[in-house]
Amino acid sequence: MLLKYEREQIVEYGKKLIDTNLTRGTGGNLSVYDDKSGLMAITPSGMDYYELKAEDILVMDLEGKVVEGTKVPSTEYEMHRIFYVRRDDIKAIIHTHPVYTTTLACLNWDLPPIHYLIALAGPDVKCAKYATFGTKELAENAFEAMKGRKAVLLANHGLLVGAEDLPNAFNISIQIEYVAELYYRAKSIGEPVLLSSEEMELMMEKFKTYGQVRK
């Protein structure tokens, strides 16, 4: 079986998405890229995460061709592929529909630096321009808005996170949803005080050694 470890890891983390309310039903998708083979493992379209088995995970090349697997790949494979082609710091992608980040995305708002944990993803999290799900246009919009960052809000859609591996992509997803909830709650009773760009630069530097999930 090609990319056996990566496929098993995707099955494991798919369940975590449901358990932590990062997504519901069959929403969202995950992938892992193996730069040695030039192949990515990605979830199939529309399958229950708790019913997934390693053999259900598709293996694709970066041209979009299925190399191994019999299921239909995620409709969002273009949004995964584009990062593996153009960024060498991203080897795993998690796309979810969490409540608070998606609320901000439905407002087409960026997530500003109201808490230092946002530095796990960058100085802030931008909201990408809207495009229909599964299209190359959405992939391009997400890529542009995520430049210099590891997370992006997808307008009227959800959250996309990229990292060096799935554990870190999952951690960033959890933390950005937490910061989005803080922003939502703070905006409900007042105007949040934002951290300075200088402080965010300091936090991003600190997180290079502190905020990462170690295997």
Side-chain angles (χ1 to χ4, degrees):
M1 178 187 287
L2 290 172
L3 304 188
K4 183 175 184 292
Y5 171 75
E6 289 82 358
R7 291 159 98 170
E8 290 173 346
Q9 193 180 42
I10 286 173
V11 170
E12 175 191 353
Y13 275 86
K15 295 182 178 73
K16 287 178 181 286
L17 300 188
I18 300 297
D19 293 344
T20 56
N21 293 318
L22 279 174
T23 201
R24 300 180 186 187
T26 62
N29 31 76
L30 309 86
S31 71
V32 177
Y33 176 60
D34 175 47
D35 55 3
K36 293 179 181 177
S37 64
L39 300 174
M40 70 172 174
I42 189 167
T43 44
S45 178
M47 282 192 69
D48 187 313
Y49 288 106
Y50 265 88
E51 293 181 1
L52 278 180
K53 298 178 177 61
E55 55 266 31
D56 295 321
I57 306 302
L58 285 298
V59 176
M60 304 179 73
D61 63 23
L62 294 188
E63 300 298 319
K65 176 185 175 183
V66 174
V67 176
E68 189 170 279
T70 59
K71 307 296 184 184
V72 176
S74 169
T75 55
E76 301 286 17
Y77 77 86
E78 288 285 358
M79 197 164 59
H80 294 248
R81 186 181 72 87
I82 194 170
F83 286 94
Y84 301 142
V85 170
R86 300 184 187 178
R87 284 184 60 166
D88 58 12
D89 62 325
I90 290 178
K91 300 292 189 297
I93 295 280
I94 296 179
H95 165 49
T96 53
H97 303 152
V99 172
Y100 290 98
T101 42
T102 303
T103 297
L104 298 185
C106 288
L107 292 164
N108 288 200
W109 288 1
D110 297 338
L111 178 58
I114 67 159
H115 192 285
Y116 69 85
L117 280 171
I118 207 169
L120 286 167
D124 56 17
V125 179
K126 301 294 187 185
C127 184
K129 293 180 181 178
Y130 179 79
T132 303
F133 80 88
T135 61
K136 289 185 177 181
E137 182 184 5
L138 178 58
E140 289 285 353
N141 291 354
F143 179 80
E144 286 300 317
M146 207 166 104
K147 283 183 175 177
R149 295 161 175 79
K150 292 186 176 180
V152 63
L153 304 182
L154 307 174
N156 305 88
H157 188 156
L159 173 68
L160 182 78
V161 170
E164 58 268 36
D165 53 36
L166 269 185
N168 279 286
F170 178 75
N171 183 50
I172 294 170
S173 298
I174 288 286
Q175 300 299 349
I176 294 305
E177 172 64 359
Y178 168 67
V179 176
E181 181 178 356
L182 292 178
Y183 188 54
Y184 175 97
R185 290 175 179 272
K187 289 286 282 187
S188 297
I189 58 174
E191 193 58 35
V193 176
L194 304 184
L195 296 173
S196 68
S197 57
E198 292 78 14
E199 181 65 12
M200 290 308 298
E201 286 178 12
L202 175 60
M203 289 300 101
M204 289 167 65
E205 190 63 31
K206 280 181 172 289
F207 277 147
K208 287 180 181 178
T209 56
Y210 171 75
Q212 306 304 302
V213 175
R214 307 299 177 187
K215 289 186 177 180

